[in-house]
Amino acid sequence: MPKNTTFILTLLLALLIFCNVKADENILGATPPMGWNSWNHFKRKTDDAIVRAQAEAMVSSGMRDAGYVYINIDDAWEGTRDSSGEIRANSKFPDMKALADFVHSKGLKLGLYSSPGMKTCAGFEGSYGHEEQDAKTYAKWGIDYLKYDLCGLRVQMKAAGSDVVAEKMMKDAYVKMRDALLNSGRPIFYSLCQYGHNQVWQWGASVGGNAWRTTGDINDNFKSMVLIGFHQAGLSKYAGPGHWNDPDMLEIGNGGMTTSEYQIHMSLWAILAAPLLAGNDLSTMTQATKDILLNKEVIAIDQDKLGKQGDRVYAEGSVEIWSRDLADGSKAVGIFNLADTKSHMSLDFQKLGLHSPVSARDLWLHKDLGNLNSGYTEELAPHSVVLIKLSQ
Ligand code: GLA
């Protein structure tokens, strides 16, 4: 091949790679979504006033500037359809478009919830048979995020009588709404919610999901959070920019766990590159809650540009070591003591693929630990985490 042809081809290839990188930065969910969701704290009580108060608190608390931008209304906003079949919000939301305008005026985005079934989980109107129409309505209102919860469709899936037919029905339903959203004229983040059935992580991206729930519902207690969070081991290879595993929303600040248990929750979700959707009342946060949700060093782990989800490296009894590779070549390492008693542990650099000396920073203490020469030894309080960033 003549020399200048090789040169031109190389140049074209470089340009292609550059354009792709650029495009990646602009995809929906290039990093895991961050925001707030109404369900964990307010459930069916959520109304227009509550949503506005959350949007205001998101700004005044500094959360928006720390990256939390979605204000997501979960189930129980739906009303009836009008004579042309268009969905209307119920009386708790007098004007959804005006609410979206308000949320947008704060520099935030608005999310909604629906189901591919006739009914949602809480028994409200689902999108079955109205997918195109609903997506257009969402776009008209100015919606930026849709959580699409299988729920009502399960009744029809059961009636299908065969697992294979039921699975196809579910996937088709997700594809249908994906196409409807793509047709709506507005970029809308598409969040699948079917509780991790049928190994959704293997096909969630192919039906258009920007995220998919990998588990059943989280509850505001240590047992539930640990069961969900630490069962994410092995799923890291399925996540990446634009398509994330979602181990459910945060319970931080809802009162059912201690501060150090909530630190475990936040640290693990950051290592998992999980969506960070606060599920508490943002207008009444204690300083301890703010310190967790607003820890910029931990948020930076979750939002790391490499978009590589972390995973479990090893465990010693009830102490688990999880690690996540970061864009700058360093690693975020979480040492989690899940025991009800103190635990002594020595971090094994070799198992982490590191050679001493390693420079370390503690992301909860906001403190450089200097160069660590031979592993790292720590006595861990019961139900606590040490989250460190290690670089060679
Ligand atoms: C399901 C979902 C929850 C929530 C409720 C609302 O249980 O998994 O996250 O959306 O429905 O009814």
Side-chain angles (χ1 to χ4, degrees):
M1 203 183 289
K3 252 195 185 150
N4 51 359
T5 316
T6 318
F7 175 73
I8 290 168
L9 281 175
T10 315
L11 205 69
L12 275 174
L13 192 69
L15 202 69
L16 259 174
I17 292 171
F18 176 75
C19 288
N20 265 335
V21 169
K22 277 277 166 232
D24 269 351
E25 284 172 5
N26 293 322
I27 59 173
L28 264 184
T31 59
M34 291 175 66
W36 171 86
N37 175 293
S38 59
W39 192 253
N40 284 356
H41 189 85
F42 294 99
K43 301 256 176 342
R44 293 161 183 247
K45 286 197 299 242
T46 315
D47 63 12
D48 181 279
I50 287 176
V51 173
R52 284 172 193 254
Q54 299 306 306
E56 269 163 355
M58 186 88 105
V59 178
S60 62
S61 64
M63 282 178 73
R64 178 197 61 193
D65 294 344
Y68 294 86
V69 290
Y70 288 104
I71 293 282
N72 291 348
I73 304 170
D74 208 279
D75 206 353
W77 66 266
E78 309 88 341
T80 51
R81 295 187 181 274
D82 70 12
S83 55
S84 68
E86 190 164 316
I87 187 78
R88 295 173 296 199
N90 59 40
S91 59
K92 292 186 291 138
F93 295 93
D95 187 341
M96 200 57 97
K97 167 91 175 69
L99 180 57
D101 289 346
F102 174 81
V103 167
H104 292 150
S105 77
K106 302 271 165 206
L108 300 167
K109 295 172 189 286
L110 189 64
L112 275 188
Y113 165 104
S114 190
S115 169
M118 314 266 267
K119 294 284 172 209
T120 67
C121 274
F124 290 82
E125 184 74 17
S127 290
Y128 185 76
H130 293 274
E131 295 81 359
E132 277 287 323
Q133 202 176 14
D134 284 358
K136 292 244 160 60
T137 305
Y138 303 153
K140 190 174 75 184
W141 285 341
I143 299 304
D144 306 291
Y145 187 115
L146 178 70
K147 172 172 168 183
Y148 207 43
D149 187 349
L150 189 66
C151 241
L153 196 75
R154 286 191 297 182
V155 182
Q156 282 148 275
M157 285 165 60
K158 272 198 192 114
S162 129
D163 287 352
V164 179
V165 178
E167 183 171 343
K168 182 165 182 319
M169 204 179 239
M170 170 177 61
K171 289 181 180 168
D172 288 351
Y174 278 114
V175 166
K176 198 172 221 172
M177 185 50 97
R178 171 199 67 192
D179 293 345
L181 293 176
L182 290 174
N183 239 337
S184 73
R186 190 175 173 88
I188 298 180
F189 186 99
Y190 190 30
S191 161
L192 316 186
C193 174
Q194 49 77 277
Y195 339 109
H197 292 317
N198 303 79
Q199 302 187 302
V200 63
W201 41 88
Q202 294 184 358
W203 51 267
S206 73
V207 298
N210 297 117
W212 46 82
R213 276 271 295 278
T214 53
T215 74
D217 291 9
I218 194 166
N219 288 306
D220 184 24
N221 61 67
F222 186 65
K223 198 171 160 214
S224 164
M225 184 270 290
V226 165
L227 197 70
I228 284 183
F230 291 90
H231 271 86
Q232 302 299 302
L235 298 190
S236 56
K237 62 171 180 275
Y238 301 105
H243 54 278
W244 306 102
N245 287 311
D246 173 6
D248 209 1
M249 303 164 296
L250 301 172
E251 291 283 9
I252 296 160
N254 277 333
M257 290 182 243
T258 64
T259 297
S260 67
E261 289 170 347
Y262 282 140
Q263 284 177 342
I264 292 184
H265 192 2
M266 184 79 179
S267 305
L268 183 59
W269 265 236
I271 288 179
L272 293 172
L276 294 181
L277 296 173
N280 57 319
D281 180 354
L282 305 182
S283 63
T284 58
M285 286 191 284
T286 62
Q287 192 54 45
T289 298
K290 286 188 195 167
D291 288 345
I292 298 173
L293 288 172
L294 282 158
N295 183 328
K296 295 205 170 123
E297 297 193 73
V298 182
I299 292 172
I301 303 301
D302 182 76
Q303 296 291 302
D304 185 75
K305 293 279 177 287
L306 191 60
K308 204 163 171 225
Q309 179 176 333
D311 221 314
R312 178 192 280 137
V313 184
Y314 66 102
E316 272 176 18
S318 298
V319 178
E320 299 223 1
I321 315 298
W322 289 61
S323 148
R324 175 171 177 184
D325 291 341
L326 303 172
D328 65 2
S330 65
K331 285 178 194 290
V333 176
I335 310 165
F336 299 91
N337 180 19
L338 305 180
D340 297 340
T341 51
K342 275 191 211 161
S343 297
H344 196 79
M345 96 86 42
S346 239
L347 195 59
D348 187 335
F349 284 170
Q350 256 187 345
K351 285 191 180 149
L352 289 164
L354 294 167
H355 317 281
S356 44
V358 166
S359 95
R361 179 167 173 81
D362 189 308
L363 306 185
W364 285 111
L365 298 178
H366 303 294
K367 190 173 144 203
D368 283 331
L369 305 176
N371 275 340
L372 308 176
N373 282 309
S374 52
Y376 173 72
T377 305
E378 184 68 39
E379 182 159 270
L380 297 149
H383 296 193
S384 73
V385 58
V386 171
L387 184 65
I388 47 180
K389 193 170 161 180
L390 298 177
S391 10
Q392 299 262 229

